[in-house]
Amino acid sequence: NVRTTQNQFERCVFSLPELAAGSHTLAFQGIDEGVDRTSLIDDLRIERIGDSSISATVPNGTFEVSDELQSTYSASSYPYLVTDRGYYTWGTVGNSGWTFNNGGISDEYTPWLSQRQAPEGTRVAYIHEVGGSMSTTVTFPTNGVYELTYLSAARPYWDSGAQAYHNLYDYQVRFDGTVLAYRLNYKTDFETVTIRLPAITNAPIAKTLSFEGLNSLGAALGSDRSSLIDDVRVTRLADNNPVLNGDFEVPAGTLPNGDTWGEGVTGTAWTFDTPWASSGITRN
């Protein structure tokens, strides 16, 4: 039973019961609550638990390894900090496997994480203001379709008397120069971000992965805002996903209702019921 309470997509993961080989029916049944509301569903997969996965090599995707971090904020100088043991490095972080601009790597308990802990290990990466960026080279060992996952959050408020909008920071993710995704971080809690990468067809090969800050609201709200990133992974998806058209890109071509959405869409592996606008396919 899933209750969709946010208008941001979140991945739902369930373990199925032990299944016999063959065809099985997967259904999503709306629960009528008597009002005009809808849930959106995308990117369905079924993967066998226990199959070994193939991962691309992401250098230091947890940001736990580097030269010693150099800077700190002293609790004696900044009384809202409960400790001065947190360190960070801005800009070039030696032996980290990443290139930073207007960003770097931070321990816990610095102003980048405020009084918070990292979601994985004890360090995170951060990008800051317009032009904040971080990039690395990812090596793909075999052909196939890979998926990028990472943890991301907005920078928490660290000085109650200063900037009020540390958290509204947007950035884009690039893969070999091509923009794959856009994200606006407004929550200070870490969330998992999942991005499907273009298919790899000429492995082994190295590709550039980068996170590039936009800070589009900087002019209106002030520039002193950041996003935090941690636990970057790239994993190859299993071949022959038994869920047909799990991305709902078929049928191609025009959808009814001004090419925006259609109920009871046919020509796809899915069957959509057709009482008033009850289920169908929609565009961005």
Side-chain angles (χ1 to χ4, degrees):
N1 189 337
V2 177
R3 180 177 294 271
T4 49
T5 59
Q6 302 184 66
N7 57 16
Q8 301 290 319
F9 278 90
E10 297 180 302
R11 180 163 294 283
C12 299
V13 180
F14 305 97
S15 294
L16 301 179
E18 189 76 19
L19 297 175
S23 298
H24 299 268
T25 299
L26 174 66
F28 296 80
Q29 176 63 58
I31 299 172
D32 182 12
E33 296 181 291
V35 293
D36 184 11
R37 288 186 282 174
T38 305
S39 285
L40 308 178
I41 298 170
D42 198 7
D43 196 16
L44 286 106
R45 307 173 204 165
I46 295 177
E47 297 175 352
R48 183 179 173 185
I49 295 174
D51 283 355
S52 60
S53 62
I54 298 173
S55 296
T57 301
V58 180
N60 193 26
T62 61
F63 307 103
E64 300 299 317
V65 178
S66 74
D67 289 345
E68 184 177 356
L69 302 181
Q70 298 297 319
S71 301
T72 189
Y73 281 77
S74 169
S76 60
S77 301
Y78 297 86
Y80 40 80
L81 297 177
V82 299
T83 177
D84 57 5
R85 70 178 176 87
Y87 284 80
Y88 68 94
T89 292
W90 172 282
T92 301
V93 186
N95 295 314
S96 68
W98 292 77
T99 299
F100 293 94
N101 181 57
N102 274 9
I105 293 177
S106 172
D107 279 338
E108 300 169 335
Y109 301 107
T110 72
W112 305 106
L113 275 167
S114 188
Q115 304 307 307
R116 298 174 183 240
Q117 294 178 297
E120 184 283 330
T122 61
R123 292 180 173 187
V124 301
Y126 62 91
I127 52 177
H128 184 64
E129 296 187 338
V130 177
S133 67
M134 48 187 281
S135 62
T136 192
T137 299
V138 179
T139 303
F140 295 84
T142 64
N143 292 338
V145 176
Y146 289 76
E147 188 172 77
L148 165 68
T149 63
Y150 63 95
L151 300 173
S152 190
R155 177 187 181 187
Y157 305 147
W158 69 282
D159 179 356
S160 59
Q163 191 72 275
Y165 296 102
H166 285 139
N167 62 324
L168 295 172
Y169 185 89
D170 58 346
Y171 63 88
Q172 59 192 12
V173 180
R174 287 183 181 266
F175 184 70
D176 252 12
T178 300
V179 176
L180 292 187
Y182 166 88
R183 182 172 179 83
L184 171 64
N185 272 342
Y186 60 95
K187 295 181 181 180
T188 56
D189 293 325
F190 280 87
E191 298 179 299
T192 299
V193 181
T194 303
I195 301 171
R196 181 80 59 87
L197 302 180
I200 300 297
T201 59
N202 52 348
I205 192 171
K207 301 280 189 178
T208 300
L209 173 67
S210 60
F211 300 81
E212 300 179 358
L214 302 173
N215 203 15
S216 300
L217 299 175
L221 301 178
S223 62
D224 188 17
R225 288 173 292 133
S226 313
S227 278
L228 311 175
I229 294 170
D230 199 8
D231 199 14
V232 181
R233 308 182 190 187
V234 176
T235 305
R236 186 179 182 275
L237 299 178
D239 293 328
N240 302 318
N241 182 356
V243 179
L244 300 179
N245 192 27
D247 56 6
F248 301 102
E249 301 303 318
V250 176
T254 302
L255 292 171
N257 303 301
D259 194 26
T260 58
W261 62 279
E263 61 192 61
V265 176
T266 60
T268 174
W270 292 80
T271 299
F272 295 100
D273 293 331
T274 54
W276 181 81
S278 61
S279 63
I281 293 177
T282 181
R283 291 195 186 281
N284 288 335

